[in-house]
Amino acid sequence: MANATPTEPDKELEALLEKIDLQHVVLEFAFYHSESPQNYNAHFDAAYEFLDASHKRFQQHHATIDFDQYPLAKNHVFKWNPDELVGSRISFAEFWGSDDVAPTPLGDRAWSIPNVDGFKTAFFLPPYGLQKPGDRNASLFEQLKDCLFGDAQENDLVIYSWSNQCSGYFDAGLEWWGAFLWTIARPVTSTITLIGASSSD
C-alpha cells in the first residue's frame, strides 16, 4: 500500500533470522519501507500487507486441495476482514511483556511454564520448546534485539499492537498459546518492522 511497501532485511539480519528459525522460534518477521514510519497509517498499511499476503497464500493453497480426498477442507474458511484491523499504540514494556521465561519446578517432572504475554516470552516459549542449548538461544535473542532496536531509547520506539480477530492468521494462536501482531519503528530510519506470532500444538 502507499504508506508502506515490503522490503528485504539486510544480509546480516537475514542470516540471523535463518538461525533463529532453526531453533524453532515461531515468530514471523516482515519489513516495510515508509516515508513516514512514525505515522499510524504507515503502520496500518504494513499490518494490512502482511495479513493480506497471508490470506492470498491460503487461497493459493486451498485451490490445490483434492476435496474428494479431503472433503472437510472444503469448509475451511480463512477469515480476512480489513475493517476489523485496528492498531493501538503501546509502550515498550507492553510489547516486551514479562522477563520471566524460565519454567518453575513444581515437583517430580512437573513444571509451571510462564504465560506468553509479549515479545520475549513469545520468542523463548514456543508450543514445543526451543532447540538446545539454551545459551545459544539467549545469544540469538540479544543479537536480534540489537538488530531490530539498535541503540534507540525504549520511549523513542513507535510500537502498535494489532487486533487479532480480523484474520485467519490468528486462529491457531487463539486456541491457547497466543496471537500477536506488532509493528515497530525506531527513530531516524525508514523501516517498519512487523512481528507476527500465532501458533498452537
Side-chain angles (χ1 to χ4, degrees), residues 20-37:
I20 286 171
D21 188 57
L22 291 174
Q23 296 301 108
H24 298 172
V25 173
V26 296
L27 297 175
E28 294 185 69
F29 298 87
F31 304 91
Y32 300 86
H33 173 80
S34 176
E35 296 297 331
S36 52

Side-chain angles (χ1 to χ4, degrees), residues 14-101:
E14 183 178 23
L16 176 61
L17 294 178
E18 289 176 357
K19 293 177 183 178
I20 286 171
D21 188 57
L22 291 174
Q23 296 301 108
H24 298 172
V25 173
V26 296
L27 297 175
E28 294 185 69
F29 298 87
F31 304 91
Y32 300 86
H33 173 80
S34 176
E35 296 297 331
S36 52
Q38 309 292 313
N39 292 345
Y40 176 87
N41 287 344
H43 285 253
F44 177 91
D45 286 359
Y48 177 97
E49 287 282 355
F50 178 81
L51 294 175
D52 192 58
S54 297
H55 182 240
K56 288 174 180 174
R57 284 194 299 270
F58 170 83
Q59 289 179 311
Q60 291 168 355
H61 171 70
H62 201 252
T64 67
I65 296 174
D66 181 347
F67 295 119
D68 291 330
Q69 186 175 1
Y70 304 101
L72 294 179
K74 194 171 186 178
N75 299 321
H76 185 193
V77 176
F78 188 101
K79 177 183 178 181
W80 175 217
N81 186 350
D83 291 337
E84 296 180 4
L85 179 60
V86 179
S88 300
R89 179 82 181 264
I90 62 172
S91 67
F92 184 84
E94 291 172 296
F95 160 73
W96 188 262
S98 174
D99 264 326
D100 179 16
V101 295

